[in-house]
Amino acid sequence: MDIVINDTNIFLDLYDVGLLDRFFQLPVQVHTVDFVVNEIKQPTQQGVMQDLISRGMLIVKGYSSESLANLYQFKDECGGNLTLADSTIIYYAQSIAGCRILTGDRQLRNRAEKRGITVSGILYVFDLLVEHKLIPQSVAAQKLENLFKINTRLPKQEIEIRIERWKNSR
């Protein structure tokens, strides 16, 4: 089974458009790091995340306070404007052969790809949801339109291509 390591923004985008439950039905093993879980501040979202963790659907790699010095050193080695959570995702991904990072963060993507880690974003997730028939194409188009209204930093041209294709398919 493929392993994906999620950044905060993927969880929040899926939550915002009501697809987080569908995401966890994909044939992938979903991982993240404790720093990502701690970035989720809204109580309802926290509750959903804790439920996923307690049900074993979300695997969270925790780091001890003793490992913080190594994590901060790694963050400095990565360079750029990465947060500790972002650099820890890369750190964790390096320990799992063949995993994929899911993020919408350009800095995280660039730094991870420089280290040879495969990185995909929310559109990859939508493609998987459609491919595995977890949502109909018409629903995918509608949800992607809704997401783009919330998150305008997403790649507009790629979104328009998918929306057009999914709306016109029967």
Side-chain angles (χ1 to χ4, degrees), residues 14-72:
L14 291 169
Y15 178 87
D16 287 344
V17 294
L19 291 175
L20 192 60
D21 60 331
R22 299 290 179 175
F23 171 70
F24 279 92
Q25 294 173 22
L26 286 169
V28 298
Q29 193 175 73
V30 183
H31 292 228
T32 196
V33 295
D34 53 357
F35 295 101
V36 165
V37 173
N38 293 335
E39 286 183 333
I40 298 174
K41 302 294 185 199
Q42 201 273 339
T44 306
Q45 294 169 344
Q46 285 177 342
V48 169
M49 296 302 289
Q50 290 306 315
D51 181 58
L52 291 165
I53 294 165
S54 67
R55 291 175 27 211
M57 298 176 75
L58 174 59
I59 298 164
V60 179
K61 171 65 175 168
Y63 288 95
S64 67
S65 56
E66 292 81 30
S67 63
L68 278 179
N70 289 338
L71 293 173
Y72 274 106

Side-chain angles (χ1 to χ4, degrees), residues 22 31 37 41 62 94 99 119 124 128 138 152 156 165:
R22 299 290 179 175
H31 292 228
V37 173
K41 302 294 185 199
Q94 289 181 151
C99 72
V119 182
Y124 171 81
L128 285 179
S138 59
T152 57
K156 183 177 181 180
R165 180 180 30 175

Side-chain angles (χ1 to χ4, degrees), residues 74-152:
F74 182 78
K75 178 185 178 297
D76 291 343
E77 289 171 15
C78 286
N81 295 328
L82 290 181
T83 65
L84 182 59
D86 291 344
S87 61
T88 305
I89 290 169
I90 296 171
Y91 187 83
Y92 182 45
Q94 289 181 151
S95 71
I96 303 174
C99 72
R100 175 185 306 265
I101 292 175
L102 296 180
T103 186
D105 184 304
R106 181 176 288 133
Q107 283 278 339
L108 174 52
R109 173 185 290 274
N110 291 341
R111 300 293 183 216
E113 287 177 342
K114 282 183 180 177
R115 292 177 174 270
I117 300 167
T118 302
V119 182
S120 299
I122 194 72
L123 296 181
Y124 171 81
V125 174
F126 269 83
D127 291 344
L128 285 179
L129 291 170
V130 169
E131 176 187 329
H132 290 280
K133 300 185 183 342
L134 291 169
I135 56 173
Q137 292 181 355
S138 59
V139 171
Q142 180 247 333
K143 297 282 189 180
L144 199 49
E145 284 177 333
N146 293 346
L147 180 58
F148 190 64
K149 289 175 186 172
I150 299 167
N151 186 350
T152 57

